[in-house]
Amino acid sequence: LRSLVGSEMCIRDRWVDPKWAGYPLKDNLHRATPEERIAAKERYDGEVRYVDDAVGRVLDAFYRAADPKTAVVIISSDHGEEFWEHGGWNHGHTLYNELLRVPLIVRAPTALPAGREDRPVATVDVGATLADICGLTNFNSPQGLSFAPRPQRRFLFGTGIPNAAAAAVTDGRYKLTPAPHADGYQLYDLVADPGETRPLADEWRRARYADLIANWRKENAEVRESLAVTPIGRSAVGQDLRALGYIQSVSYTHLRAHETPEHLVCRLL
């Protein structure tokens, strides 16, 4: 860390603690007993605590070497985990908030005020925000918007892995998400029903949000067709992404010509 502080390099790392390694129920948790479900949640809580301690040690070392008045720190995640809130477990199978909502902690003293922000943002906004804070005018993010000094109110969209055809949309209060094990969508009021357990019978809003998803799909298709792509499927990066589950079909084996692998992950999430 000391060797990198003051340079133009970005200090970036990730922590992985295999939460199911050696766990006898890892392939059979759908039929887990109540006691086994509690044990699985406790194991996950232990992983979160492990990562939290590791992040704390890195930040302690970082602030001993960096100028805390100007240093920018962002901590986030790629997805959450379901523990039977909607009848399943793990991730990648629904677009409920236990999978879509992730922590986002940003420390940027020169650009963002201290406090908690209730306006939702997307992971694709992180890159645009960093570029804004650093004054990078040539950063191209077709979907991401800077949330400095405060996020804009807008509709946010999310897609699923491996089912990239599924999509959800929210304005921060109302959310339209694919119905599990059935065709169509379900509408929820996230203020009155944050657990997404009581679908609303609001046909006008359901139809409006479904139109937003359809238009968003069309815009995405037009952007993909208008930009050149570079195959990465057989590269080392492509192999890593496939091993992590981010490459599941031919549409995921290409990057836009101007993008890095990190852009691909942000687009998928």
Side-chain angles (χ1 to χ4, degrees), residues 111-126:
L112 292 172
R116 185 185 182 98
E117 176 57 63
D118 60 355
R119 295 182 181 181
V121 299
T123 52
V124 292
D125 296 336
V126 173

Side-chain angles (χ1 to χ4, degrees), residues 185-200:
Y185 293 94
Q186 291 178 335
L187 181 70
Y188 295 96
D189 182 340
L190 298 179
V191 174
D193 179 25
E196 299 169 281
T197 61
R198 303 189 300 274
L200 298 176

Side-chain angles (χ1 to χ4, degrees), residues 94-95 100 157-161 163-168 216-217 220 252 267-269:
T94 73
L95 293 175
L100 291 189
F157 299 85
T159 58
I161 300 173
N163 183 15
W216 180 72
R217 291 184 188 282
N220 280 351
Y252 293 167
R267 278 199 286 127
L268 294 181
L269 299 177

Side-chain angles (χ1 to χ4, degrees), residues 36-52:
E36 291 167 338
R37 293 185 178 190
I38 292 174
K41 293 178 183 179
E42 290 177 345
R43 189 177 180 90
Y44 187 76
D45 288 343
E47 177 192 13
V48 173
R49 175 58 186 269
Y50 170 85
V51 173
D52 185 70

Side-chain angles (χ1 to χ4, degrees), residues 35 59 91-93 100 129 138 151 205 218 234 247-248:
E35 293 76 14
L59 290 179
H91 60 268
H93 54 287
L100 291 189
T129 303
N138 61 344
R205 197 179 301 274
K218 181 180 178 181
R234 290 185 295 274
I247 293 180
Q248 304 247 345

Side-chain angles (χ1 to χ4, degrees), residues 22-215:
Y23 193 48
L25 294 172
K26 65 178 180 178
D27 297 321
N28 199 29
L29 282 176
H30 289 288
R31 296 189 293 273
T33 66
E35 293 76 14
E36 291 167 338
R37 293 185 178 190
I38 292 174
K41 293 178 183 179
E42 290 177 345
R43 189 177 180 90
Y44 187 76
D45 288 343
E47 177 192 13
V48 173
R49 175 58 186 269
Y50 170 85
V51 173
D52 185 70
D53 289 344
V55 170
R57 292 195 298 271
V58 170
L59 290 179
D60 287 343
F62 178 70
Y63 285 127
R64 285 196 298 269
D67 183 355
K69 296 180 181 179
T70 58
V72 176
V73 176
I74 297 180
I75 299 174
S76 188
S77 181
D78 53 351
H79 57 75
E81 297 285 334
E82 180 183 355
F83 286 96
W84 301 280
E85 289 88 350
H86 289 91
W89 73 280
N90 211 330
H91 60 268
H93 54 287
T94 73
L95 293 175
Y96 288 115
N97 272 3
E98 58 262 23
L99 302 186
L100 291 189
R101 290 194 65 184
V102 296
L104 178 58
I105 303 170
V106 182
R107 186 187 186 279
T110 63
L112 292 172
R116 185 185 182 98
E117 176 57 63
D118 60 355
R119 295 182 181 181
V121 299
T123 52
V124 292
D125 296 336
V126 173
T129 303
L130 279 172
D132 187 16
I133 293 173
C134 298
L136 303 178
T137 59
N138 61 344
F139 183 84
N140 182 16
S141 179
Q143 296 178 341
L145 295 177
S146 173
F147 49 75
R150 195 175 185 206
Q152 303 178 34
R153 292 196 181 277
R154 74 189 203 273
F155 289 100
L156 298 177
F157 299 85
T159 58
I161 300 173
N163 183 15
V169 61
T170 182
D171 62 359
R173 175 169 183 177
Y174 295 100
K175 176 184 172 186
L176 191 71
T177 188
H181 316 299
D183 294 332
Y185 293 94
Q186 291 178 335
L187 181 70
Y188 295 96
D189 182 340
L190 298 179
V191 174
D193 179 25
E196 299 169 281
T197 61
R198 303 189 300 274
L200 298 176
D202 185 338
E203 295 303 325
W204 176 85
R205 197 179 301 274
R206 185 200 306 268
R208 181 187 177 217
Y209 282 35
D211 287 342
L212 289 172
I213 290 177
N215 291 334

